[in-house]
């Protein structure tokens, strides 16, 4: 028994030793695995601690309370040049244009006709049988030979047309020797051969233009073509027979006005009438506008001062209102500061608003003058709020 116990004791001790050995050696590298796990846990903890610290360090600080705006803040009134441009609509009556026709029969031997170019009174764009064709914009087409002593509306139109192109100082409703000499001078200037010994100007000498400065839309008579008298040599587009603004904006800056379309700038009357209809008909705005019912076109243009004016420039927040004595209603006003902080000397000044852009308001005094000094950013003076 004793022997069995001893063996048993050995077995027990051996079992524990075996178990211990198995724990270390039965799972190869078991101890290292535990070490790596601990190292990983420590590294993750360090990363979390570091990230937390960085988050605290980089987190935006709570915004400090902003100081309240100074109710008496002021700034200098600036000045600027403006043209007070406004968008308006011109109602233009559309009229068809008769083509320019050949004054005589023959072959077209040269031509400068090109669509889009302008025909001017006193020029020649074509030769028929080697002789140039003089263009003249007269009040009515020449329908008879006009010799010295002939009198009438057609004679007056001829004199006026020759004077308009500086061919001679002629006027009146009668053809004189001065009319003949002026016509010869006009022909010579245009490169047209014409014998000044002639005592009459005939229909074969002139190609009629319905208006000076019309634009060519087509050229139906190329070089080498045989044409007859009265056959078209230059097609013309429709033009404006009249042009007037539908309405003019109120509250505009006083002054002489013009209209602008693309590169064209044309005079317009205080009543909204456009005088130079030929030039208006050549504008992009007229050309691109479609004909409406009744042959009227609606043409959008810019209406602006011919000569820009100086205005004051103030923040939009500085504009208040006051009772307008002349208008009987509310009037825009600003407060001109009497001092930097002391508002005792502040003064409310009535102004007219010329325009505004990007928070800046353009003003003039009621008499057209420009207020000077500093303007309060908030209109808090008596009479302007």
């Amino acid at each position: 028994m004793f022997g069995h116990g001893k063996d048993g004791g050995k077995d027990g001790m051996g079992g524990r030793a075996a178990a211990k050995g198995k724990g270390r050696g039965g799972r190869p590298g078991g101890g290292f695995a535990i070490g790596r796990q601990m190292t990983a846990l420590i590294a993750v903890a360090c990363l979390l601690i570091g990230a937390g610290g960085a988050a605290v360090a980089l987190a935006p600080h709570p915004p400090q309370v902003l100081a309240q705006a100074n109710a008496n803040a002021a700034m200098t009134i600036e000045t600027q040049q403006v043209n007070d441009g406004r968008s308006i609509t011109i109602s233009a009556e559309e009229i068809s244009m008769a083509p320019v026709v050949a004054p005589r029969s023959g072959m077209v031997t040269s031509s400068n006709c090109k669509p889009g170019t302008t025909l001017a009174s006193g020029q020649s764009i074509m030769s028929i049988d080697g002789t140039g064709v003089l263009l003249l914009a007269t009040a009515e087409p020449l329908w008879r030979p006009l010799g010295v002593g002939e009198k009438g509306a057609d004679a007056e139109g001829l004199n006026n047309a020759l004077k308009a192109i500086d061919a001679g100082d002629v006027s009146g409703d009668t053809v004189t020797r001065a009319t003949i000499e002026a016509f010869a001078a006009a022909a010579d200037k245009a490169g047209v051969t014409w014998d000044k010994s002639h005592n009459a100007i005939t229909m074969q000498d002139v190609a009629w233009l319905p208006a000076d400065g019309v634009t060519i839309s087509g050229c139906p008579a190329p070089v080498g073509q045989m044409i007859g008298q009265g056959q078209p040599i230059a097609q013309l587009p429709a033009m404006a027979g009249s042009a007037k603004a539908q309405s003019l904006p109120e509250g505009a800056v006083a002054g002489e006005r013009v209209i602008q379309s693309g590169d064209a700038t044309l005079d317009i009357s205080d009543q909204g009438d456009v005088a130079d209809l030929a030039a208006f008909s050549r504008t992009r705005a007229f050309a691109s506008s479609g004909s409406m019912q009744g042959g009227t076109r609606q043409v959008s243009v810019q209406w602006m001062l011919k000569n820009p004016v100086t205005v004051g420039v103030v923040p939009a927040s500085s504009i208040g209102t006051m009772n307008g004595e002349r208008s009987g209603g509310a009037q825009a006003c600003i407060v001109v500061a009497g001092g930097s902080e002391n508002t005792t000397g502040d003064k409310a000044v009535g102004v007219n608003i010329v325009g505004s852009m990007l928070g800046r308001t353009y003003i003039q005094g009621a008499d057209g003058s420009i207020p000077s000094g500093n303007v309060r950013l908030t209109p808090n003076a008596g009479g302007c709020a």
Side-chain angles (χ1 to χ4, degrees), residues 7-21:
D7 292 338
K10 288 179 180 180
D11 290 343
M13 291 180 66
R16 284 195 298 270
K20 188 175 181 181

Side-chain angles (χ1 to χ4, degrees), residues 242-284:
S242 64
K244 185 180 179 67
Q246 287 184 347
S247 62
L248 297 177
E250 296 182 358
V253 178
E256 191 176 0
R257 292 271 169 169
V258 294
I259 58 172
Q260 187 172 55
S261 171
D263 297 332
T265 301
L266 306 173
D267 291 335
I268 185 171
S269 71
D270 293 340
Q271 292 73 40
D273 293 295
V274 181
D276 194 341
L277 297 177
F280 180 74
S281 301
R282 292 194 301 268
T283 63
R284 275 187 246 163

Side-chain angles (χ1 to χ4, degrees), residues 100-104 123-128 131-135 190 192 204-208 233:
V100 180
V101 299
R104 57 186 179 271
Q123 74 172 155
S124 173
I125 62 161
M126 181 175 292
S127 292
I128 299 176
T131 301
V133 175
L134 181 65
L135 305 176
V192 175
Q204 288 75 29
D205 298 322
V206 179
W208 181 65
I233 58 175

